[in-house]
Amino acid sequence: MAQALIEALNLQVHYGGIAAVKGISFVVEQNEIVCLIGANGAGKTSTLKALARMIPSSGEIHYGSERIEALPGHLLIGKGMALVPEGRGIFARLTVAENLAMGAYHRSDKAAIAGDLERVYGLLPRLKERAAQVAGTLSGGEQQMLAIGRALMGRPKLLLLDEPSMGLAPLMVEKVFEVVRTVAAEGMTILLVEQNARLALEVCSRGYVMESGLITLADTSAALLADSRVRAAYLGE
Amino acid sequence: MNMSGREKLGLALIAVALIALPFVLALAGTAWVRITNFAVLFVLLSLGLNIVVGFAGLLDLGYVAFYAVGAYVYALLASPHFGLHLPFWVILPIGAAVACIAGVILGAPTLRLRGDYLAIVTLGFGEIVRIFMNNLSSPVNLTNGPKGINRIDSFRIGPVNFSGSDTIAGLVFSGPIKYYYFLMLVLLAVIVINRRLQDSRIGRAWVAIREDEVAAKASGINTRNIKLLAFAMGASFGGIAGGMFAAMQTFVSPESFVLNESIMILAMVVLGGMGNIWGVIAGAVLLSFVPELLRYTVEPAQMALFGKLLVDPEVLRMLVFGLALVFTMRFRPAGLWPETRHRREMNENRA
């Protein structure tokens, strides 16, 4: 069995008295692409934010050989965990290049950063064309690419992607997922949160289905795509 | 910093003009030197608030509280009130430190707040500090209440007392002129610190937090500490300005630290151009001088034209002030002299 990169045990998230995530356990192994699918409000984003230590939670989170549930969120990028937040979270008034530089904020290896920048530009040539442009003026799809590119600038081992298809035109969604596929093909471990279940399952090897704060199904993507419950509830068949 | 010959020349000319300025102003009356000093004080305050509002994007409506803390620290340590007469170079750092602590006290519980909510809490904080100053006269008389503290010591460097005049080489250095030069030195230091901060890792972290806090944190920025640092640094500058205010006035009372002052300082930052040091300086100078100019011109003008006073200068002052803000926001929404980033964004939105 491959080594687990991140594992949650009985993870719970509460907002005031309301439980958004009610005790879920899952694992993402090294070099795996795993998705967390489910309807709006199922607790997917809360789960991802809890893993990235952006919101408080209870339960255990194992990352590599460490327990990270007590760590502050800003330390995780240094440990190789990069979050691409919901709604992209780009720095709207900074240029594309400045945004990418912020992705390497925690690093001091200038030569390596310059190399990574070239790699990101190679992967996302659109960003190179717009390097000097203010990020807030990019299209939604370009902003999503920028958010992914910024995360890659941190040289992560694990990429947490929160709804990369959100609010994008179908053509742009295709392009963004192409990037996700390319990054995955290079050996990146990815945990993908998506409402667009079909797309997500097509990219991932395994998936978890979340429903009102609980994981109700867990299987390989192929099995989930064939499952009658998934087909009825999430694939519109 | 690499500068061309022309820039160096320009800078030298500005320096000469600023050095000569108080003597030119003194010809029109010492009052004008005093007015200029207060304008510089407001420039210092605006630059301090600019760190919080302009750099880090945290709306602070209670900034005058730190000015008050600095002023009272000076007043208590250099007046007959407690019989303490420490030298100013000891008190100013103490005032900055106490204001800095006050900044952290305000910052810590408000870390999760943004925008409107933060504005309301900071506004409350400003008022709390003022009300404390107003009421801490019993059972132990700490602040002397609404009566304030008077007979505060002026600055003194060796034999030179800032309250009196000295004649050096035929030039009369009045008290306000001496304060002017001191203020200019402090201002220079504050500008240098601000520029350094803006271009530093800390400056970039502030910008990132201003734009998107979650993404900033995900990029490895310790958002809590960096926000507290903004509050602490802004507050320290306010504290230093407060100390100088107390010494220049030789009197402090809670009345000098009302909400209006906070709003005035914020208006200077916004009008000039949030985030841009030079814009903020321009805003502060403009909003400090225009009311004074009105005060000295409106009354005589009306007397000459109508033979009586129709509109009180104070009323006109608020009118002009309001109009200036409305027109700035309508025609130059990023301020008179905006930060490059703001300007860039505005232009591209229009394109």
Side-chain angles (χ1 to χ4, degrees):
Chain A
M1 190 180 135
Q3 214 190 338
L5 183 55
I6 191 158
E7 184 170 18
L9 294 172
N10 193 27
L11 185 74
Q12 298 176 42
V13 177
H14 295 266
Y15 295 112
I18 300 156
V21 179
K22 301 169 182 166
I24 61 172
S25 301
F26 59 90
V27 62
V28 180
E29 283 162 10
Q30 210 89 248
N31 303 82
E32 241 192 337
I33 319 291
V34 175
C35 63
L36 208 56
I37 57 176
N40 209 356
K44 308 182 301 291
T45 292
S46 297
T47 303
L48 214 57
K49 278 187 166 168
L51 293 184
R53 305 314 306 142
M54 293 291 162
I55 51 171
S57 64
S58 53
E60 294 174 19
I61 305 170
H62 297 258
Y63 176 68
S65 54
E66 264 184 281
R67 289 272 294 269
I68 59 164
E69 66 266 16
L71 289 183
H74 68 270
L75 293 181
L76 293 176
I77 182 73
K79 295 180 184 295
M81 187 199 286
L83 169 73
V84 178
E86 187 183 28
R88 311 185 267 270
I90 53 147
F91 304 122
R93 276 188 292 209
L94 304 193
T95 63
V96 168
E98 286 169 331
N99 264 274
L100 292 174
M102 283 311 295
Y105 182 84
H106 65 287
R107 299 168 58 186
S108 51
D109 43 342
K110 275 195 179 141
I113 292 172
D116 287 347
L117 184 63
E118 280 317 305
R119 262 228 310 279
V120 168
Y121 280 150
L123 180 69
L124 306 161
R126 202 49 180 270
L127 295 185
K128 188 166 191 175
E129 288 167 30
R130 315 214 154 199
Q133 191 173 325
V134 175
T137 61
L138 297 178
S139 76
E142 290 166 342
Q143 290 189 5
Q144 187 63 58
M145 306 269 193
L146 177 58
I148 295 173
R150 184 181 62 194
L152 293 177
M153 287 301 292
R155 269 210 189 166
K157 289 184 280 188
L158 171 67
L159 199 56
L160 304 174
L161 284 175
D162 198 351
E163 298 251 10
S165 77
M166 192 198 245
L168 299 185
L171 204 69
M172 226 44 223
V173 172
E174 277 302 321
K175 283 192 174 160
V176 169
F177 271 79
E178 247 176 65
V179 172
V180 174
R181 269 196 208 97
T182 316
V183 174
E186 285 172 2
M188 181 77 70
T189 310
I190 299 177
L191 176 58
L192 169 68
V193 156
E194 253 304 337
Q195 267 191 63
N196 191 331
R198 184 188 303 277
L199 252 173
L201 289 171
E202 278 168 5
V203 179
C204 298
S205 52
R206 287 193 303 123
Y208 292 93
V209 179
M210 270 191 94
E211 224 170 293
S212 359
L214 290 168
I215 288 177
T216 50
L217 283 170
D219 214 326
T220 62
S221 292
L224 286 175
L225 278 168
D227 191 292
S228 60
R229 287 164 295 180
V230 174
R231 296 179 78 94
Y234 303 107
L235 304 177
E237 288 174 18
Chain B
M1 222 187 311
N2 287 319
M3 281 190 295
S4 68
R6 264 183 65 190
E7 278 175 313
K8 273 183 193 156
L9 184 68
L11 223 56
L13 284 176
I14 291 172
V16 170
L18 286 177
I19 290 169
L21 183 67
F23 291 101
V24 178
L25 288 170
L27 295 176
T30 306
W32 282 103
V33 183
R34 215 167 263 137
I35 289 166
T36 308
N37 285 351
F38 277 99
V40 178
L41 215 48
F42 273 105
V43 170
L44 290 177
L45 287 170
S46 304
L47 286 173
L49 183 62
N50 183 48
I51 293 178
V52 186
V53 179
F55 292 172
L58 304 162
L59 186 50
D60 184 351
L61 287 184
Y63 187 67
V64 78
F66 308 121
Y67 187 43
V69 167
Y72 269 88
V73 165
Y74 191 94
L76 295 175
L77 297 180
S79 73
H81 184 62
F82 286 144
L84 291 170
H85 297 280
L86 301 181
F88 77 90
W89 46 268
V90 172
I91 308 176
L92 284 188
I94 296 176
V98 175
C100 172
I101 292 166
V104 173
I105 290 173
L106 168 66
T110 57
L111 282 170
R112 286 160 184 273
L113 304 178
R114 282 199 81 86
D116 315 357
Y117 303 98
L118 181 63
I120 291 167
V121 175
T122 52
L123 188 151
F125 179 80
E127 284 299 279
I128 288 168
V129 168
R130 184 182 61 84
I131 291 166
F132 259 105
M133 309 281 174
N134 222 350
N135 292 294
L136 283 179
S137 50
S138 65
V140 181
N141 188 359
L142 195 64
T143 64
N144 210 22
K147 289 197 292 287
I149 298 169
N150 56 24
R151 286 190 289 148
I152 298 169
D153 301 348
S154 295
F155 283 12
R156 189 192 286 274
I157 303 173
V160 180
N161 193 327
F162 278 48
S163 64
S165 289
D166 292 279
T167 309
I168 301 166
L171 284 173
V172 179
F173 284 80
S174 63
I177 290 181
K178 280 179 264 182
Y179 277 117
Y180 171 87
Y181 285 122
F182 186 81
L183 280 163
M184 279 294 157
L185 286 180
V186 175
L187 179 61
L188 191 67
V190 167
I191 290 174
V192 169
I193 294 171
N194 262 278
R195 298 266 325 204
R196 285 284 164 91
L197 276 175
Q198 198 171 18
D199 298 333
S200 70
R201 271 175 74 78
I202 295 168
R204 278 185 288 140
W206 279 332
V207 172
I209 288 174
R210 185 179 77 191
E211 300 292 309
D212 191 303
E213 211 170 321
V214 170
K217 204 173 186 180
S219 301
I221 293 166
N222 186 338
T223 50
R224 187 195 60 195
N225 289 2
I226 291 285
K227 277 163 86 171
L228 278 181
L229 186 66
F231 274 115
M233 296 232 45
S236 310
F237 287 161
I240 292 173
M244 287 187 292
F245 169 76
M248 282 158 58
Q249 287 279 78
T250 68
F251 169 73
V252 294
S253 80
E255 243 173 83
S256 305
F257 310 107
V258 289
L259 175 62
N260 246 344
E261 294 288 311
S262 285
I263 291 173
M264 189 65 137
I265 303 164
L266 183 65
M268 289 168 176
V269 173
V270 174
L271 185 95
M274 254 191 278
N276 180 15
I277 296 167
W278 308 115
V280 169
I281 293 174
V285 169
L286 209 64
L287 286 188
S288 308
F289 271 111
V290 170
E292 298 301 329
L293 281 174
L294 285 177
R295 200 202 306 274
Y296 283 91
T297 52
V298 167
E299 220 178 300
Q302 287 187 55
M303 292 305 271
L305 281 174
F306 312 113
K308 59 181 176 184
L309 195 62
L310 292 173
V311 189
D312 185 47
E314 197 60 23
V315 174
L316 211 62
R317 178 181 146 170
M318 286 323 271
L319 181 73
V320 169
F321 185 59
L323 280 176
L325 276 180
V326 169
F327 277 103
T328 312
M329 291 304 110
R330 170 64 188 82
F331 296 104
R332 293 191 71 92
L336 294 175
W337 194 347
E339 187 192 5
T340 349
R341 285 189 228 295
H342 287 244
R343 194 166 54 225
R344 226 160 35 193
E345 187 188 30
M346 297 282 173
N347 289 342
E348 293 199 25
N349 280 351
R350 215 165 282 162

